[in-house]
């Protein structure tokens, strides 16, 4: 195939899987683009980033600049939700090439009459684009370039900045080359910054032993808001299967009165579009969602695509399940865990189109009820292409909807789910403990291409995970884990009140809660206050007041030689908010060392003083050295310093 274009464009970044998937941003974030733009020979070339929102027809253009070694950079701001398309364009800039050549000859004292006449050919096309004042100037140049008596003035203007700026402003893109189109999806800010609180609605009653209701949940909303949580996540609120219902502590012999697992969805009372009758009605649920919204809280719903044996789907859509020769369906398993009360969906069913449609209709039903955040249960056990389709279909009409992937599985599986469109992702934070583990993992999340598509959500615990390091842990350990989650990641969550009341009884040898709330109604003193509730609330307030903590990727680990201390610097987009966080990883003994300030990133000269203000205690310190002494005690195992220069 013949191709007369001379400019070659390579290695456009960011792009995911050669452009198969979109990168992600939130409204008003910047997309930084770089690419290698090459040409044969030594002609002057130019490049631009072209971009437009999905509702725009005309391309916007930002010129790229050369940083060296044929690498070019530019950026653009995404100011609306939805898809943006972008591409890189490169061309030989013959006008600037002419100007560069004539300038060198003039400096060599060569006579350039012929070159001036050639320049006229680059000036005339600009007359159609230029402003009136620019047009007047161009006419003067055209006349002077062809008139010997104006030679001195002509050569001065030919190499001048004024003409250069006009050439730059109105490039003639002869034989330009363009890359394929790439995409970025832009979410609302909640996709990047959220603070989750999880509890079981059935455990919300004032009275011990009594099943809670949505009305009981309403009285807890002010407390959740006062603690600084903006997302309230409920495990499934649907009818619970009665066939093979689990008993307390995950036993297979449920006793009378056992409530079963909330994830064993479906019974004679309905399925995924219905409410458990003991919780209330759909009207009660909608009222709860509205009252939460009035307090600045969004209710997140669990979306679990599976069915109890007595779910209406099993009878009405038997093809959605894989039947064995003995007429039964193999229950769900995740060895060594067994879920006798749950039947997995058969995604290879010949009736898959109706299955997919029902899954979409189910989600849209709850969106219509006021839900715009879904925590998706075990997405890694369903087809990737299904999720891509479902999320895309929902986003077409409801761009505010956010999806959290609950997938504690293999790294590449988690990454693929994020690529398919999930807004947020559970991570391995729960199992990271040492300084080296944190530095390596956070660097992977923030400094590789994962930063373009995977938004981590750090949870110290979940109803499924009672990590070994919290079993029997003291108060300091809980403070440490919350401080780490809340400052390393902009999306965080806790399963409470289990976390804040340090309820940690475990099944021996397992990272599972003993007498787990997953299988029974629990009773809590919901308004109990302790040091944990106080400091969690304080940290959440700090997060909401400091933009540096409302994003994840702007982070630099600072040198501190004590491996029991981890220090890192975080900043917002324009560096008007800069924080230094230091956390002790020792929950038993005091730890001390000197921490190195990131002088270059802070724009500091040696000897220049800064004030660091502890946002927890209110104490202020003036530091005028690059290395500064810090000491942390288990009673308060972290500093969140705001830096003032």
């Amino acid at each position: 195939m013949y191709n007369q274009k001379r400019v070659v464009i390579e290695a456009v970044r960011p792009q995911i899987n050669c452009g198969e998937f979109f990168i992600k941003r939130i409204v008003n974030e910047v997309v930084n683009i770089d690419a290698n733009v090459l040409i044969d020979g030594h002609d002057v070339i130019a490049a631009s980033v072209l971009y437009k929102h999905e509702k725009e027809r005309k391309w916007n253009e930002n010129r790229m600049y050369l940083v060296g070694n044929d690498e070019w950079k530019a950026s653009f701001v995404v100011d609306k939700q939805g898809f943006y398309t972008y591409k890189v364009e490169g061309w030989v800039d013959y006008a600037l090439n002419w100007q560069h050549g004539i300038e060198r000859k003039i400096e060599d004292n060569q006579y350039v009459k012929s070159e001036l006449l050639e320049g006229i050919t680059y000036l005339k096309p600009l007359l159609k684009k230029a402003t009136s004042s620019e047009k007047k100037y161009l006419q003067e140049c055209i006349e002077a370039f062809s008139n010997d008596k104006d030679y001195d003035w002509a050569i001065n203007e030919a190499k001048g900045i004024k003409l250069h700026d006009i050439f730059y402003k109105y490039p003639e893109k002869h034989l330009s080359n363009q890359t394929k189109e790439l995409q970025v999806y832009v979410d609302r800010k909640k996709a990047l910054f959220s603070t989750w609180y999880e509890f079981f609605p059935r455990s919300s009653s004032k009275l011990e032993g009594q099943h809670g209701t949505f009305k009981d949940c309403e009285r807890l909303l002010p407390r959740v808001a006062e603690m600084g949580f903006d997302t309230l996540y409920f495990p499934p609120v649907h009818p619970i299967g009665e066939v093979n219902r689990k008993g307390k502590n995950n036993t297979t012999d449920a006793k009378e009165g056992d409530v079963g697992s909330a994830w064993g969805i479906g019974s004679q009372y309905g399925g995924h579009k219905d409410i458990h009758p003991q919780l209330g009605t759909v009207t009660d649920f909608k009222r709860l969602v509205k009252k939460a919204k009035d307090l600045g809280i969004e209710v997140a719903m669990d979306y679990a695509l599976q069915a109890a044996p007595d779910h209406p789907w099993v009878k009405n859509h038997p093809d959605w399940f894989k039947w064995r020769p003995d007429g039964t369906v193999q229950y769900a398993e995740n060895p060594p865990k067994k879920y006798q009360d749950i039947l997995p969906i058969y995604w290879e069913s010949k009736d898959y189109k109706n299955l997919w449609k029902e899954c979409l209709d189910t989600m849209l039903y709850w969106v219509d009820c006021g839900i715009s955040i879904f925590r998706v249960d075990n997405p890694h056990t369903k087809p990737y292409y299904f999720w891509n389709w479902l999320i895309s279909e929902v986003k077409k009409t409801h761009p505010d909807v956010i999806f959290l992937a609950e997938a504690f599985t293999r790294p590449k599986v988690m990454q693929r789910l994020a690529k398919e469109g999930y807004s947020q992702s559970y991570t391995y934070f729960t199992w990271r403990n040492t300084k080296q583990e944190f530095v390596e993992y956070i660097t992977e999340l923030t400094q590789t291409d994962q930063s373009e598509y995977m938004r981590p959500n750090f949870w110290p615990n979940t109803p499924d995970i009672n990590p070994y390091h919290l079993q029997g842990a003291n108060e300091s350990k809980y403070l440490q884990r919350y401080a780490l989650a809340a400052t390393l990641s902009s999306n965080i969550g806790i399963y409470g009140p289990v976390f804040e009341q340090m309820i940690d009884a475990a099944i021996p040898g397992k990272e599972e809660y003993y007498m787990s709330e997953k299988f029974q109604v629990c009773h809590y003193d919901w308004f109990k206050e302790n040091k944990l509730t106080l400091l969690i609330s304080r940290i959440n307030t700090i997060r909401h007041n400091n933009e540096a903590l409302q994003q994840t990727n702007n982070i630099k680990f600072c040198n501190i030689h004590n491996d029991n201390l981890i220090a890192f610097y975080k900043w917002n987009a324009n560096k008007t908010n800069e924080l230094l966080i230091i956390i002790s990883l020792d929950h038993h003994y005091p730890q001390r060392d000197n921490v190195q300030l990131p002088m270059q990133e802070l724009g500091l000269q040696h000897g220049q003083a800064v004030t660091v203000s502890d946002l927890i205690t209110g104490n202020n310190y003036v530091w005028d050295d690059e290395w500064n002494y810090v000491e942390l005690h288990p009673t308060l195992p972290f500093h969140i310093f705001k830096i003032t220069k």
Side-chain angles (χ1 to χ4, degrees):
M1 181 180 69
Y2 297 107
N3 188 347
Q4 202 178 5
K5 298 173 182 177
R6 295 174 59 201
V7 172
V8 173
I9 307 172
E10 299 178 329
V12 177
R13 295 175 296 272
Q15 61 174 297
I16 309 302
N17 286 35
C18 299
E20 179 182 0
F21 300 106
F22 52 80
I23 63 169
K24 298 172 186 174
R25 293 292 186 274
I26 64 165
V27 173
N28 292 327
E29 275 196 321
V30 175
V31 180
N32 292 306
I33 306 293
D34 62 87
N36 298 338
V37 185
L38 319 171
I39 189 174
D40 58 281
H42 305 286
D43 286 346
V44 174
I45 59 173
S48 288
V49 170
L50 305 177
Y51 65 97
K52 64 178 178 179
H53 186 265
E54 59 186 326
K55 294 184 179 179
E56 293 178 320
R57 292 184 178 181
K58 186 178 178 181
W59 290 92
N60 304 290
E61 180 176 4
N62 287 355
R63 294 290 287 270
M64 303 184 80
Y65 61 93
L66 178 65
V67 295
N69 195 25
D70 296 310
E71 184 177 349
W72 295 67
K73 291 183 178 293
S75 63
F76 62 93
V77 176
V78 289
D79 57 7
K80 294 186 285 288
Q81 286 182 233
F83 277 106
Y84 280 76
T85 301
Y86 62 95
K87 59 185 177 181
V88 174
E89 181 179 31
W91 64 95
V92 179
D93 197 316
Y94 289 102
L96 289 178
N97 195 56
W98 165 84
Q99 188 180 43
H100 177 66
I102 198 172
E103 180 181 3
R104 294 176 68 184
K105 291 181 179 180
I106 293 170
E107 290 175 352
D108 192 43
N109 294 317
Q110 296 182 30
Y111 183 67
V112 292
K113 182 60 181 179
S114 178
E115 286 79 2
L116 289 172
L117 294 174
E118 180 188 357
I120 294 174
T121 64
Y122 299 114
L123 298 177
K124 286 184 176 180
L126 303 183
L127 295 173
K128 298 177 181 179
K129 307 174 184 179
T131 64
S132 57
S133 60
E134 292 169 341
K135 189 178 296 184
K136 180 180 178 182
Y137 173 72
L138 291 172
Q139 291 283 17
E140 292 174 350
C141 288
I142 291 172
E143 183 176 345
F145 285 10
S146 60
N147 194 330
D148 289 341
K149 65 183 179 63
D150 295 326
Y151 180 81
D152 290 341
W153 186 87
I155 61 173
N156 187 61
E157 296 305 313
K159 64 179 183 178
I161 188 65
K162 187 173 183 179
L163 188 57
H164 176 278
D165 290 345
I166 293 176
F167 282 148
Y168 186 89
K169 184 178 179 181
Y170 305 111
E172 288 289 314
K173 299 179 180 180
H174 180 61
L175 293 177
S176 69
N177 198 6
Q178 294 184 352
T179 64
K180 68 179 180 181
E181 295 179 0
L182 303 167
Q183 286 191 306
V184 51
Y185 187 79
V186 183
D187 279 299
R188 61 189 175 112
K189 185 176 180 179
K190 193 68 168 276
L192 178 64
F193 175 58
S194 57
T195 313
W196 296 53
Y197 189 87
E198 175 182 5
F199 73 79
F200 286 73
R202 67 188 185 189
S203 295
S204 61
S205 175
K206 292 181 180 179
L207 303 177
E208 187 169 359
Q210 182 169 303
H211 197 288
T213 68
F214 291 137
K215 291 182 180 179
D216 290 321
C217 294
E218 287 183 19
R219 73 184 178 93
L220 304 180
L221 292 176
R223 176 181 182 272
V224 175
E226 288 167 6
M227 288 187 69
F229 293 97
D230 54 42
T231 306
L232 175 57
Y233 158 52
F234 289 151
V237 295
H238 313 298
I240 296 172
E242 299 171 9
V243 176
N244 294 344
R245 174 176 287 191
K246 289 293 188 78
K248 292 181 180 179
N249 213 31
N250 200 21
T251 59
T252 55
D253 54 340
K255 304 292 191 293
E256 184 177 352
D258 281 346
V259 294
S261 167
W263 284 271
I265 298 171
S267 73
Q268 60 180 312
Y269 299 107
H272 283 73
K273 293 180 182 176
D274 299 288
I275 293 290
H276 193 296
Q278 287 181 278
L279 290 174
T281 65
V282 172
T283 300
D284 295 333
F285 181 73
K286 289 181 179 179
R287 184 176 67 184
L288 172 63
V289 171
K290 184 180 183 303
K291 286 183 176 290
K293 187 175 182 180
D294 291 341
L295 292 171
I297 300 170
E298 291 189 58
V299 172
M301 198 170 191
D302 199 281
Y303 185 73
L305 294 180
Q306 57 209 29
D310 42 338
H311 192 297
W313 284 352
V314 180
K315 179 180 179 180
N316 299 331
H317 301 281
D319 288 346
W320 294 358
F321 304 89
K322 189 172 184 178
W323 298 88
R324 300 188 295 184
D326 63 358
T328 64
V329 177
Q330 173 63 51
Y331 56 76
E333 290 185 282
N334 183 15
K337 295 181 180 180
K338 296 182 178 182
Y339 306 96
Q340 293 90 342
D341 55 338
I342 293 172
L343 304 184
I345 302 296
Y346 182 44
W347 295 98
E348 297 172 19
S349 167
K350 293 181 179 179
D351 193 33
Y352 77 94
K353 290 185 179 179
N354 287 323
L355 169 61
W356 285 29
K357 184 178 183 301
E358 175 63 16
C359 292
L360 175 61
D361 289 346
T362 296
M363 179 165 281
L364 292 177
Y365 172 82
W366 293 111
V367 172
D368 289 340
C369 290
I371 299 299
S372 56
I373 304 179
F374 292 90
R375 177 268 197 190
V376 180
D377 187 67
N378 280 339
H380 53 291
T381 61
K382 289 84 181 175
Y384 301 114
Y385 298 121
F386 164 75
W387 291 124
N388 187 291
W389 173 83
L390 179 84
I391 295 171
S392 298
E393 289 297 308
V394 172
K395 288 282 195 177
K396 284 179 183 177
T397 51
H398 301 281
D400 277 355
V401 175
I402 291 169
F403 301 84
L404 169 61
E406 185 264 348
F408 296 108
T409 182
R410 303 186 308 278
K412 289 182 173 57
V413 173
M414 296 168 66
Q415 293 162 24
R416 180 73 188 204
L417 290 166
K419 292 174 183 177
E420 296 290 358
Y422 274 93
S423 318
Q424 299 178 7
S425 304
Y426 277 36
T427 68
Y428 302 135
F429 165 78
T430 315
W431 297 278
R432 296 297 187 263
N433 290 302
T434 68
K435 180 176 180 176
Q436 181 180 354
E437 288 174 337
F438 284 123
V439 172
E440 288 180 354
Y441 190 47
I442 301 303
T443 300
E444 175 189 332
L445 290 172
T446 64
Q447 304 301 319
T448 69
D449 67 354
Q450 289 184 49
S451 67
E452 301 290 352
Y453 64 85
M454 188 168 178
R455 298 192 187 102
N457 195 324
F458 282 6
W459 288 67
N461 73 326
T462 76
D464 288 307
I465 306 167
N466 179 12
Y468 289 127
H469 56 251
L470 289 184
Q471 297 177 19
N474 61 12
E475 180 183 70
S476 182
K477 185 66 175 181
Y478 279 82
L479 289 172
Q480 171 207 110
R481 296 303 295 186
Y482 194 80
L484 284 164
T487 55
L488 287 169
S489 175
S490 53
N491 290 310
I492 63 165
I494 57 170
Y495 161 44
V498 168
F499 184 86
E500 68 203 47
Q501 296 187 20
M502 298 190 296
I503 299 171
D504 61 0
I507 297 175
K510 295 184 177 181
E511 290 187 302
E512 297 181 40
Y513 286 100
Y514 177 69
M515 299 302 287
S516 170
E517 191 173 2
K518 289 169 60 178
F519 307 103
Q520 65 184 54
V521 172
C522 291
H523 183 259
Y524 302 106
D525 179 357
W526 281 99
F527 296 93
K528 178 180 179 180
E529 293 186 358
N530 57 22
K531 188 174 180 180
L532 263 173
T533 59
L534 174 66
L535 286 175
I536 287 172
S537 303
R538 182 62 184 147
I539 290 172
N540 289 346
T541 298
I542 292 169
R543 280 167 50 85
H544 282 274
N545 292 340
N546 288 271
E547 287 186 351
L549 297 178
Q550 295 173 18
Q551 56 75 41
T552 301
N553 293 334
N554 289 349
I555 183 170
K556 177 180 174 60
F557 289 98
C558 301
N559 289 325
I560 189 166
H561 299 308
N562 186 337
D563 284 341
N564 285 305
L565 295 174
I566 187 170
F568 49 94
Y569 161 63
K570 298 199 78 172
W571 64 94
N572 66 343
N574 57 10
K575 290 201 171 183
T576 56
N577 183 232
E578 297 173 288
L579 303 181
L580 176 66
I581 296 96
I582 308 166
I583 301 174
S584 172
L585 303 180
D586 186 339
H587 53 291
H588 292 298
Y589 301 103
Q591 294 293 333
R592 59 190 64 83
D593 204 348
N594 289 297
V595 61
Q596 184 183 27
L597 281 174
M599 302 290 285
Q600 182 176 347
E601 288 77 8
L602 288 168
L604 296 177
Q605 303 295 322
H606 287 283
Q608 183 177 347
V610 298
T611 300
V612 293
S613 305
D614 192 315
L615 297 178
I616 296 291
T617 65
N619 293 332
N620 297 317
Y621 308 91
V622 177
W623 289 355
D624 57 8
D625 289 324
E626 183 174 1
W627 291 85
N628 298 274
Y629 178 80
V630 293
E631 182 173 338
L632 286 168
H633 296 255
T635 52
L636 187 61
F638 56 89
H639 287 303
I640 303 177
F641 286 132
K642 185 173 184 178
I643 301 172
T644 305
K645 291 175 278 190

